[in-house]
Amino acid sequence: EAAVTQSPRSKVAVTGGKVTLSCHQTNNHDYMYWYRQDTGHGLRLIHYSYVADSTEKGDIPDGYKASRPSQENFSLILELASLSQTAVYFCASSDWGGYNYAEQFFGPGTRLTVL
Amino acid sequence: GDSVTQTEGQVTVSESKSLIINCTYSATSIGYPNLFWYVRYPGEGLQLLLKVITAGQKGSSRGFEATYNKEATSFHLQKASVQESDSAVYYCALSASNTNKVVFGTGTRLQVLP
């Protein structure tokens, strides 16, 4: 059974509308991440969290908020969706690896189209 | 900043032929990055294919290999004989030790023809 799930799997939103993307993990991981991927770009980190009720900005946080109400759940919120936010969004979870890299486990992605 | 370059957006190979997917990196803020290949099969999330954390070492998994070449700053992915089931998107990535932050390449879509 998939350990990181995302909902919805695809969504069409209108410009200026509010969008919430949800992520749920059953890995018992402390760290969770939101990435976006656009054509011609690698995955870019939007927000991440290492503990419930706390979130951190990633490399491209502008226009996004994040919420981590529990260890298992991590949401990405677009308060005012814009055309430029059309992309595929990936959620991931991991342990803290310390000196050794901790593998990230990804959800299947959400394709968001803003019209 | 740190970056990963994959020059091929798509590669098409016939089944049983050999494969190489190119990856080079720039790690200006990291002395010796950890290097990875992730793979995304259709309808699924990315999953770690292999990792190498020591320069000069080779990683391997499912018939794929990649060697950490510090001098050439490269980490090319190779397979001697591809199968149709290898069709997927492959991402090269790097991270620094003692951090969970990962920098991904743009991905290379591999199509294996029967």
Side-chain angles (χ1 to χ4, degrees):
Chain A
E1 188 173 336
V4 180
T5 55
Q6 295 182 231
S7 62
R9 292 293 308 277
S10 69
K11 183 171 181 64
V12 178
V14 296
T15 304
K18 182 176 180 179
V19 176
T20 300
L21 307 183
S22 299
C23 178
H24 179 80
Q25 57 108 351
T26 57
N27 295 320
N28 199 34
H29 287 159
D30 287 331
Y31 280 76
M32 295 188 74
Y33 314 82
W34 275 107
Y35 294 91
R36 67 176 277 174
Q37 182 169 30
D38 307 88
T39 303
H41 286 89
L43 278 71
R44 292 182 288 172
L45 184 64
I46 306 170
H47 285 287
Y48 68 98
S49 168
Y50 54 84
V51 67
D53 295 323
S54 177
T55 64
E56 306 292 332
K57 293 180 180 179
D59 298 324
I60 53 164
D62 293 345
Y64 302 93
K65 294 171 123 176
S67 173
R68 182 94 181 268
S70 64
Q71 187 193 41
E72 299 80 15
N73 295 293
F74 192 37
S75 297
L76 186 69
I77 302 149
L78 291 66
E79 295 277 5
L80 295 169
S82 67
L83 294 173
S84 64
Q85 293 176 312
T86 293
V88 179
Y89 292 84
F90 291 98
C91 176
S93 74
S94 79
D95 283 321
W96 164 245
Y99 186 79
N100 297 309
Y101 172 73
E103 179 180 351
Q104 294 187 16
F105 294 82
F106 285 81
T110 295
R111 184 173 296 276
L112 174 64
T113 303
V114 182
L115 302 176
Chain B
D2 305 319
S3 64
V4 175
T5 301
Q6 295 179 244
T7 54
E8 305 111 339
Q10 175 152 336
V11 172
T12 301
V13 181
S14 295
E15 198 166 28
S16 79
K17 298 299 185 184
S18 64
L19 167 73
I20 182 165
I21 297 177
N22 294 308
C23 172
T24 57
Y25 67 88
S26 172
T28 55
S29 65
I30 308 167
Y32 294 90
N34 302 318
L35 298 177
F36 319 96
W37 279 99
Y38 273 83
V39 58
R40 179 161 68 101
Y41 297 103
E44 300 181 14
L46 284 77
Q47 53 185 275
L48 185 64
L49 178 61
L50 57 86
K51 70 177 182 185
V52 181
I53 63 173
T54 304
Q57 298 295 309
K58 178 166 65 179
S60 60
S61 174
R62 307 181 209 174
F64 289 90
E65 295 182 339
T67 300
Y68 187 155
N69 187 326
K70 177 175 169 288
E71 289 71 31
T73 62
S74 69
F75 191 55
H76 306 317
L77 184 68
Q78 301 183 70
K79 189 173 186 182
S81 175
V82 297
Q83 302 170 332
E84 204 171 344
S85 58
D86 293 327
S87 296
V89 182
Y90 293 81
Y91 297 87
C92 186
L94 65 80
S95 76
S97 299
N98 210 35
T99 175
N100 277 19
K101 183 177 178 182
V102 180
V103 177
F104 288 90
T106 52
T108 298
R109 181 176 300 275
L110 171 64
Q111 181 180 18
V112 179
L113 302 176

